[in-house]
Amino acid sequence: MHTMTGVRTLPIEISFDNVRASESPIVVDCRSVEEYEEGHLPRALNAPLQHLSVLIDDFPCGRDEQLFVYCKSGNRSSTFALYLRSIGFTKCQSIAGGYELWGDEAC
């Protein structure tokens, strides 16, 4: 964990293996609805990045909960995680590599 002004922060990225080892992880797929419907992790919630500002009031988890975000390659999920952190979701992490890297082995 990194520290900024004495406060511990999680790294922005986490490996898929570390997510898989977590107990009852909250996983958010930030790809489009169409991409989500083509295949997604079991129990993953779909919250497309392009609709995030609209969805934030009804976001499916609290600001103090650990959550993991993924997309196809890791680019959108990093943006998603950084945005959520900026509005108080400090335990949000992007799953490195994206669904195209580890999706087949996960399903």
Side-chain angles (χ1 to χ4, degrees):
M1 287 191 186
H2 305 285
T3 59
M4 291 174 36
T5 62
V7 177
R8 291 183 152 220
T9 58
L10 296 170
I12 195 68
E13 284 193 324
I14 187 169
S15 73
F16 179 71
D17 289 337
N18 286 341
V19 172
R20 194 176 3 204
S22 300
E23 280 189 43
S24 305
I26 298 172
V27 178
V28 176
D29 182 327
C30 71
R31 298 176 302 156
S32 69
V33 172
E34 295 79 17
E35 289 173 294
Y36 178 82
E37 289 175 351
E38 288 175 8
H40 58 272
L41 293 179
R43 296 182 302 282
L45 308 168
N46 185 226
L49 176 62
Q50 66 266 33
H51 301 298
L52 183 57
S53 62
V54 175
L55 297 171
I56 202 63
D57 291 335
D58 297 319
F59 205 65
C61 57
R63 294 182 194 282
D64 60 339
E65 294 182 87
Q66 175 82 43
L67 67 138
F68 306 104
V69 183
Y70 74 91
C71 64
K72 181 179 177 180
S73 66
N75 291 327
R76 284 177 284 181
S77 59
S78 290
T79 299
F80 194 103
L82 286 169
Y83 174 71
L84 285 181
R85 284 186 179 201
S86 76
I87 60 170
F89 289 83
T90 58
K91 297 179 182 176
C92 181
Q93 292 179 281
S94 171
I95 306 174
Y99 192 78
E100 69 181 358
L101 180 65
W102 41 256
D104 289 338
E105 74 179 65
C107 296

